[in-house]
Amino acid sequence: IVLTQSPATLSLSPGERATLSCRASQSVSSYLAWYQQKPGQAPRLLIYEVSNRATGIPARFSGSGSGTDFTLTISSLEPEDFAVYYCQQCSNWPRTFGPGTKVDIK
Amino acid sequence: EVLLVESGGGLVQPGGSLRLSCAASGFSFSNSGLNWVRQAPGKGLEWVSFTSASGASIYYADSVKGRFTISRDMSKNTLFLQMNSLRAEDTAIYYCVKHFQWGYFDFWGQGTLVTVSS
């Protein structure tokens, strides 16, 4: 299953709303997660099963969608949210990731 | 606290072999599936391999099938990745990652860098 993410880069200011998209080449049902990665760090699980926040993830992060189209929303960007975000499916083997969306400071 | 500590990375020539290790602590190793995920320099994430808790179910990415072998030592709470016939395109940071629920990745190690170059 191929995952595509858009946009490749999102330039926003702190306090703004970020909307990231992930599209699957075939249905992944609800088996979709989102990860955040900052430079020099390992990725961190944010959202699993489309809309469930992982432990310790702030409520400003939310996920939605089903089937082939999914969205990660950051309601109000904090300085620490500027990073690369990946979606990942676990509906089928092999597990696959999207190419990522970089959220940078405008 | 869940800890996953990788080791064994380094510089190896094309065609060579390397064995990565991942020391796990802070969770029930014998009841947890584990994965290897890699990231080439400046690139995205690529899932490499998975082993179930018992080791009865093992999967590989097509890009490494037949060359890499995942295994685990229950007595030492350690995950391994034996990498043979290494290619330049295998150059990446290799992360040891804990399996969560259906197939998510909830805890990641800090990674170990593998460089394949002559």
Side-chain angles (χ1 to χ4, degrees):
Chain A
I1 296 176
V2 177
L3 299 179
T4 55
Q5 292 186 242
S6 60
T9 304
L10 194 53
S11 297
L12 295 169
S13 301
E16 289 193 293
R17 183 185 189 90
T19 302
L20 289 66
S21 175
C22 176
R23 177 164 289 180
S25 60
Q26 65 186 75
S27 176
V28 298
S29 186
S30 296
Y31 298 113
L32 189 105
W34 292 92
Y35 300 82
Q36 176 194 67
Q37 188 177 31
K38 298 179 182 179
Q41 295 184 18
R44 175 174 71 147
L45 177 65
L46 296 176
I47 301 283
Y48 64 94
E49 205 170 342
V50 177
S51 59
N52 295 294
R53 280 188 301 276
T55 302
I57 303 303
R60 64 181 181 273
F61 291 92
S62 64
S64 63
S66 66
T68 60
D69 290 288
F70 303 90
T71 301
L72 174 69
T73 302
I74 310 171
S75 59
S76 179
L77 282 163
E78 297 287 339
E80 61 269 26
D81 298 337
F82 291 93
V84 179
Y85 293 84
Y86 296 95
C87 57
Q88 174 247 331
Q89 65 81 23
C90 58
S91 172
N92 282 12
W93 297 98
R95 308 313 197 199
T96 50
F97 292 88
T101 290
K102 182 178 182 180
V103 179
D104 65 15
I105 300 176
K106 187 174 182 181
Chain B
E1 179 193 9
V2 173
L3 278 178
L4 298 163
V5 181
E6 303 93 337
S7 60
L11 175 63
V12 61
Q13 291 189 341
S17 297
L18 215 52
R19 189 195 199 201
L20 305 183
S21 300
C22 171
S25 61
F27 65 99
S28 177
F29 183 83
S30 59
N31 289 322
S32 298
L34 291 163
N35 299 267
W36 289 98
V37 174
R38 68 185 180 182
Q39 187 170 35
K43 302 298 183 183
L45 301 168
E46 180 186 17
W47 169 82
V48 172
S49 183
F50 164 82
T51 177
S52 62
S54 66
S57 294
I58 287 178
Y59 296 92
Y60 297 98
D62 285 346
S63 58
V64 307
K65 202 173 294 182
R67 300 187 299 123
F68 290 12
T69 302
I70 192 171
S71 62
R72 58 197 298 165
D73 185 334
M74 297 297 195
S75 68
K76 296 182 179 178
N77 282 10
T78 301
L79 177 72
F80 301 101
L81 186 68
Q82 177 66 43
M83 305 186 295
N84 298 330
S85 303
L86 282 161
R87 306 166 180 167
E89 54 265 36
D90 295 319
T91 294
I93 296 173
Y94 284 74
Y95 294 102
C96 171
V97 189
K98 182 178 161 294
H99 180 92
F100 173 62
Q101 291 202 353
W102 187 255
Y104 308 108
F105 308 124
D106 62 344
F107 288 98
W108 298 63
Q110 85 289 349
T112 187
L113 177 62
V114 172
T115 303
V116 184
S117 175
S118 55

